Amino acid sequence: MKKFICTLVCIILFSNAVFAESWGVYFPKDGGRPETNATAEHLLQFDAYFIGSEDDKVLYLTFDAGYEIDLTAGMLDVLKKHEVPAAFFLVGTYIRDYPQLVTRMIEEGHIVANHTMTHPDMSKIASKEEFAKELHGVEEIYKNLTGEDIPKFYRPPRGIYNEQNLKNAQELGYKTMFWSTAYKDWERDNQPSREEAFSKLIPRTHPGAIILLHNISKTNADILDELLTKCKDMGYRFESLYHLTSATTL
């Protein structure tokens, strides 16, 4: 009976891993590529990515930003010092409320990308029209600010998605960007220590990693200079998401 229950639990867990609509990664060993609930090859048919080539020691740095607590400017200073390009996935209200920061991101060579207008659970949006509305709202605010079209990179809020979402984004001309390296940095009032941050981020660094950080993390602001230095000392270089999507192998 115990063996049957164990087998049943394993089947349920495996089923959830395969059909889960919330993005997640698991690291079987330090420095290795993570295991996920969808393969890079499967995602690629939808123009979706979570990782780059394992044959090149390159990293892709991304930030998610829904609001501001006066940390982003300092992070931009560090990125400029290290000449590291990043992608900032911004909610529409962020672009509206912080135009000077957004303009600086663009002027300093970073990608400003689409993180939806209202940060909803996109998997619960059934119609393509409502899905498109979330992305078009950001496009409009971005164009009003810059006079240009927003780069067509999209990240689902909280990584929650389904395959129809991926198809919708693809049909709208977007490339969906997940991540292969992250840690629990998003709770503003429960920030990890420097030691905790490095104990998660450094062992999870791997060739082709798309790194997800949050702009409201005081820890991230404090460690970013050292983090970029450590990654470079490990032999990595940083590239933009355009480099990733132009690659032909994973």
Side-chain angles (χ1 to χ4, degrees):
M1 184 66 174
K2 288 182 178 180
K3 184 176 180 180
F4 171 78
I5 293 173
C6 180
T7 301
L8 180 60
V9 169
C10 290
I11 291 172
I12 293 171
L13 289 174
F14 177 77
S15 298
N16 287 340
V18 172
F19 300 107
E21 296 179 345
S22 183
W23 185 252
V25 296
Y26 164 71
F27 289 86
K29 65 177 182 178
D30 291 352
R33 289 159 75 86
E35 296 179 1
T36 63
N37 48 344
T39 67
E41 291 75 18
H42 178 72
L43 290 176
L44 194 57
Q45 66 181 308
F46 306 107
D47 290 326
Y49 301 78
F50 77 92
I51 200 167
S53 171
E54 62 183 329
D55 299 323
D56 195 5
K57 294 195 74 171
V58 61
L59 304 174
Y60 305 95
L61 183 60
T62 70
F63 292 86
D64 284 2
Y67 61 98
E68 186 59 46
I69 59 171
D70 297 326
L71 296 175
T72 306
M75 295 181 186
L76 287 169
D77 290 340
V78 174
L79 295 175
K80 186 174 183 179
K81 170 187 173 182
H82 285 269
E83 299 183 328
V84 166
F88 289 84
F89 287 87
L90 305 182
V91 173
T93 51
Y94 188 101
I95 302 175
R96 182 196 67 200
D97 295 341
Y98 307 102
Q100 291 181 323
L101 277 174
V102 176
T103 298
R104 181 182 172 189
M105 292 171 187
I106 297 166
E107 289 177 346
E108 295 183 359
H110 305 298
I111 293 171
V112 169
N114 203 320
H115 200 35
T116 73
M117 191 65 201
T118 64
H119 206 262
D121 177 348
M122 296 295 277
S123 70
K124 293 181 179 179
I125 296 179
S127 75
K128 183 178 178 180
E129 291 74 19
E130 288 300 312
F131 181 95
K133 184 178 179 180
E134 281 290 335
L135 273 61
H136 289 336
V138 182
E139 294 172 2
E140 182 178 354
I141 294 174
Y142 182 93
K143 190 155 193 175
N144 288 341
L145 174 63
T146 68
E148 305 289 339
D149 293 331
I150 195 169
K152 289 296 188 78
F153 297 101
Y154 154 69
R155 175 167 285 159
R158 300 184 300 279
I160 302 174
Y161 73 103
N162 56 40
E163 285 198 359
Q164 187 59 50
N165 292 162
L166 301 181
K167 293 175 182 176
N168 289 343
Q170 184 181 42
E171 290 173 5
L172 291 169
Y174 278 88
K175 299 183 188 302
T176 300
M177 291 291 160
F178 294 104
W179 60 88
S180 63
T181 299
Y183 78 118
K184 191 176 180 179
D185 64 343
W186 59 86
E187 292 182 354
R188 178 178 172 181
D189 298 323
N190 184 30
Q191 283 288 289
S193 67
R194 171 191 173 279
E195 291 72 23
E196 289 170 333
F198 279 119
S199 73
K200 298 293 185 182
L201 291 171
I202 296 302
R204 295 176 180 178
T205 301
H206 54 274
I210 299 178
I211 301 169
L212 165 60
L213 301 176
H214 286 83
N215 73 312
I216 59 167
S217 167
K218 180 65 164 57
T219 299
N220 288 342
D222 291 342
I223 70 168
L224 186 59
D225 191 358
E226 187 178 0
L227 176 64
L228 299 183
T229 299
K230 285 180 179 291
C231 289
K232 289 181 177 180
D233 288 345
M234 293 164 64
Y236 287 97
R237 74 181 193 279
F238 290 86
E239 298 281 0
S240 81
L241 294 182
Y242 288 115
H243 176 276
L244 170 65
T245 57
S246 67
T248 56
T249 59
L250 295 170

